[in-house]
């Protein structure tokens, strides 16, 4: 088996498990949605890595048992998977905190800026993929998602570009 397939589905399984079982947690809605935002971010990340490599992939949005019929389900059309990725990232960007408000002890946790930046990456990738592969997807709407998400990141006035690429090294 390939880790290109297995590892993303392990991440998806974990995210779905959090989303399913998290509804039973005795916490406020804000706390629950914060963790759901993290889970949905990583589910979107995993699905995007699968779509980049394979195109259409099985879309699982709940936990399943090893003998469940979903284990042999057909692939879901790429556009449907991408719409799910956008929905997950929109939820994440609404419920995750801005990077500047994340405590030092929680450094490295996902922020809403990360969710927006990743949404921009997905939109740019899908828009250019649709343009150059003539796959019937709407080029403009995907690229507009990239523009809107990028603008939202820039309006946070938290992130900056380095003046010199070589300074990174």
């Amino acid at each position: 088996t390939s880790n290109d397939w297995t590892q993303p589905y392990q991440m998806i399984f974990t995210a779905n498990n959090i989303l399913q079982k998290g509804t039973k947690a005795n916490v406020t809605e804000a706390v629950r949605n914060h963790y759901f935002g993290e889970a949905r971010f990583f589910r979107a990340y995993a699905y995007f890595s699968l779509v980049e490599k394979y195109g259409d992939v099985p879309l699982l949005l709940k936990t399943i048992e090893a003998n469940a019929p979903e284990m042999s389900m057909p692939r879901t059309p790429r556009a449907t998977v991408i719409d799910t990725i956008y929905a997950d990232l929109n939820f994440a960007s609404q419920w995750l905190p801005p990077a500047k408000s994340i405590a030092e002890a929680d450094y490295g946790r996902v922020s809403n800026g990360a969710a927006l930046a990743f949404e921009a990456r997905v939109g740019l990738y899908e828009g250019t993929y649709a343009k150059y592969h003539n796959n019937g997807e709407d080029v403009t709407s995907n690229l507009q998602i990239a523009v809107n998400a990028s603008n939202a990141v820039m309006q946070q006035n938290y992130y900056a570009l380095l003046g010199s690429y070589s300074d990174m090294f």
Side-chain angles (χ1 to χ4, degrees):
T1 61
S2 167
N3 282 336
D4 290 349
W5 185 267
T6 305
Q7 284 181 337
Y9 273 109
Q10 288 172 340
M11 191 181 301
I12 291 163
F13 174 80
T14 301
N16 287 341
N17 196 31
I18 291 168
L19 294 168
Q20 185 173 325
K21 293 180 179 174
T23 58
K24 300 173 188 171
N26 187 18
V27 295
T28 65
E29 181 182 3
V31 169
R32 178 180 296 114
N33 285 336
H34 169 87
Y35 289 106
F36 283 1
E38 287 185 359
R40 290 180 73 166
F41 173 88
F42 286 108
R43 183 171 70 181
Y45 181 87
Y47 270 119
F48 186 65
S49 71
L50 288 166
V51 167
E52 280 183 304
K53 290 178 182 83
Y54 302 109
D56 299 347
V57 295
L59 180 64
L60 298 169
L61 300 176
K62 63 179 184 174
T63 56
I64 58 171
E65 299 296 324
N67 59 355
E70 290 90 348
M71 290 296 287
S72 59
M73 69 185 288
R75 294 175 184 238
T76 305
R78 176 191 194 102
T80 303
V81 178
I82 293 298
D83 287 343
T84 302
I85 291 170
Y86 285 144
D88 280 350
L89 293 173
N90 283 330
F91 184 92
S93 67
Q94 290 175 6
W95 287 100
L96 292 174
K100 60 184 167 191
S101 69
I102 295 176
E104 188 175 323
D106 289 331
Y107 178 78
R109 295 196 81 104
V110 183
S111 67
N112 72 338
L116 289 165
F118 191 61
E119 184 177 16
R121 178 180 175 189
V122 172
L124 183 60
Y125 183 89
E126 283 302 300
T128 55
Y129 183 90
K131 178 177 180 178
Y132 294 108
H133 289 87
N134 295 322
N135 67 351
E137 285 187 54
D138 183 12
V139 174
T140 306
S141 66
N142 283 298
L143 294 177
Q144 190 60 51
I145 288 170
V147 168
N148 294 343
S150 297
N151 283 331
V153 171
M154 289 187 288
Q155 289 172 358
Q156 290 184 3
N157 290 323
Y158 180 74
Y159 305 97
L161 298 175
L162 291 176
S164 169
Y165 178 75
S166 62
D167 288 347
M168 290 177 59
F169 307 100

